[in-house]
Amino acid sequence: MSEKSYVAVYERDEDAGAWLVAVKGLTGCQTYGRSLRQAQTRIREALALWLDVEPDSLQVRDEFPSALTSVANGVARARNAVEVAGAKAQQQTAEAVRRLTDLGLSRRDAAELLGLSHQRVQQLLEAS
């Protein structure tokens, strides 16, 4: 059995310093919160009361103003790029350690060239 999904639409009221939130398609099912978290909790409670169900049983997707979503998505993309770059750097570091020691360098010399501790070089060699 497929559960119905609801959309909570958020709007920032700067004059009141609050978030206004309503459930799309359910006229009158609305609330507010001073913080985003409070508004999210309250709209789920309001919807649960509206439908006479437990709040945990609801599937609610939050829909924020596009300007805010755009900023948040930009940060998410930047964080993802950092994770990808970090993983690539770790892989290249491990490969460099292996190649330098294969070329006859000591672990301490490889560590010095790569800006690592000799203990980290040892860990990378043991892992490969």
Side-chain angles (χ1 to χ4, degrees), residues 4-27:
K4 181 164 172 54
S5 180
Y6 297 90
V7 178
V9 180
Y10 293 77
E11 180 182 326
R12 184 76 179 146
D13 182 345
E14 293 300 332
D15 294 334
W19 287 95
L20 308 177
V21 58
V23 177
K24 192 181 282 188
L26 294 179
T27 305

Side-chain angles (χ1 to χ4, degrees), residues 29-89:
C29 187
Q30 60 193 27
T31 190
Y32 77 98
R34 294 282 176 202
S35 69
L36 187 54
R37 181 166 296 179
Q38 185 181 54
Q40 288 172 315
T41 300
R42 286 181 173 178
I43 196 60
R44 282 158 176 77
E45 289 171 352
L47 180 58
L49 288 170
W50 190 275
L51 300 172
D52 194 25
V53 297
E54 289 296 318
D56 293 339
S57 70
L58 297 170
Q59 281 191 315
V60 181
R61 181 177 59 85
D62 296 324
E63 187 176 286
F64 301 105
S66 61
L68 302 179
T69 302
S70 176
V71 171
N73 288 344
V75 170
R77 284 190 300 273
R79 286 181 173 170
N80 186 52
V82 166
E83 285 182 32
V84 169
K88 184 176 180 180

Side-chain angles (χ1 to χ4, degrees), residues 59-123:
Q59 281 191 315
V60 181
R61 181 177 59 85
D62 296 324
E63 187 176 286
F64 301 105
S66 61
L68 302 179
T69 302
S70 176
V71 171
N73 288 344
V75 170
R77 284 190 300 273
R79 286 181 173 170
N80 186 52
V82 166
E83 285 182 32
V84 169
K88 184 176 180 180
Q90 284 182 331
Q91 182 182 10
Q92 288 177 335
T93 301
E95 176 63 21
V97 164
R98 189 190 59 73
R99 288 177 58 199
L100 289 173
T101 56
D102 285 352
L103 290 170
L105 267 64
S106 70
R107 292 176 179 159
R108 287 189 184 273
D109 286 345
E112 184 66 30
L113 281 172
L114 298 174
L116 302 172
S117 69
H118 68 278
Q119 294 95 336
R120 181 64 182 139
V121 168
Q122 178 65 33
Q123 289 172 341

